[in-house]
Amino acid sequence: MAKDIAVCQYTFTTPAVMAHPNLLKPKAFEKNGKAQGEPKYSAVFAFDANCEEVKAIKRKAAEVARLEWPSVDLKTVVFPWQNGDVAADKRDEKCRQIGREPDGQWMRGKVLLKASSRFPVVLAGFENGRIVTYEDEAKLKSVEGKFFFGAEVLAQITFNAFQSSLPGSLPAINTYLNQVLVTGKGTKIAGSRKSAAQVFSGYAGAVSEVNPMGNVEDEIGAL
């Protein structure tokens, strides 16, 4: 039976801070300065760690995992978010190693969710109090500055269950990026020169203890 994509989609109900946006031109993951894999459109979204939006995102991701693997132990699933404090520590240490001022402070106290797509992402914004979708190339170029590192945005994402055929691979939930709406608010974040690939190079997923009573937030893990 075909999977109902709508069931796997999630639309933000409160704005998140957008980081490392690659929304107008796809970019390949970089390792040691060399492009790896297929270029993709992508962004990272930062939420306050204990907000209701994070809880809802976790519930949706758990629902998608259960749809694919009904009896899966959620602590064995690699979910697509990262503890912002851990990411900030790694980032600041790298800065110190190269004699640069640490710039990972913006990640502290946050949960970070990266989403990407092989295909162009629907981009939109507010103009004269109305939501406008930016479609033609000239318009997209003219509004590129609205989609900056630090902008407050709403987005629609799709969670996808994935199991690699490689020996020892864990079940995972990937996040596809569908749409991004800029609210017109936000503050540009210093240190935005580093790519998401560099910031998240050490990411290995988040797991935690399972609550036998079935509390999804506890079962997936409170980051």
Side-chain angles (χ1 to χ4, degrees):
M1 182 174 65
K3 184 182 296 183
D4 185 351
I5 297 299
V7 173
C8 302
Q9 289 180 342
Y10 183 85
T11 302
F12 299 177
T13 59
T14 56
V17 174
M18 180 172 65
H20 304 289
N22 295 305
L23 297 176
L24 275 74
K25 184 178 180 180
K27 185 175 181 181
F29 180 86
E30 291 185 4
K31 185 176 182 180
N32 298 324
K34 296 183 179 180
Q36 306 285 321
E38 184 179 6
K40 293 182 179 181
Y41 300 88
S42 64
V44 175
F45 304 101
F47 302 90
D48 290 338
N50 296 317
C51 71
E52 291 301 315
E53 193 80 69
V54 166
K55 295 177 182 179
I57 287 170
K58 288 183 176 183
R59 287 193 292 268
K60 175 56 71 172
E63 178 185 349
V64 173
R66 292 288 193 207
L67 285 172
E68 185 71 18
W69 311 292
S71 61
V72 71
D73 183 345
L74 291 180
K75 73 178 181 181
T76 68
V77 179
V78 178
F79 286 101
W81 48 74
Q82 186 178 22
N83 184 312
D85 291 339
V86 173
D89 288 343
K90 291 180 179 179
R91 170 65 183 158
D92 289 351
E93 179 57 30
K94 288 183 179 180
C95 287
R96 284 188 284 269
Q97 289 175 359
I98 62 175
R100 182 173 168 179
E101 189 71 21
D103 57 16
Q105 187 62 33
W106 67 271
M107 294 184 276
R108 299 195 181 280
K110 305 294 184 180
V111 167
L112 309 174
L113 176 69
K114 183 179 179 181
S116 61
S117 173
R118 291 182 298 160
F119 307 103
V121 176
V122 176
L123 302 179
F126 287 98
E127 293 188 7
N128 299 318
R130 299 180 63 182
I131 294 177
V132 176
T133 300
Y134 306 128
E135 297 178 297
D136 65 89
E137 187 174 347
K139 183 62 175 180
L140 285 168
K141 190 65 177 177
S142 72
V143 300
E144 182 176 5
K146 294 184 177 183
F147 296 84
F148 58 87
F149 189 124
E152 293 185 9
V153 304
L154 295 169
Q156 184 191 71
I157 57 178
T158 299
F159 288 116
N160 179 63
F162 174 77
Q163 175 70 68
S164 172
S165 60
L166 294 175
S169 296
L170 294 173
I173 299 295
N174 297 331
T175 311
Y176 297 142
L177 183 57
N178 304 334
Q179 303 186 36
V180 175
L181 167 72
V182 287
T183 66
K185 299 179 180 180
T187 303
K188 289 186 177 181
I189 297 173
S192 61
R193 287 166 290 182
K194 288 291 182 179
S195 70
Q198 291 169 300
V199 171
F200 294 99
S201 61
Y203 175 52
V207 296
S208 69
E209 294 300 321
V210 171
N211 181 338
M213 299 304 291
N215 183 304
V216 171
E217 283 77 21
D218 289 342
E219 193 171 358
I220 296 176
L223 298 180

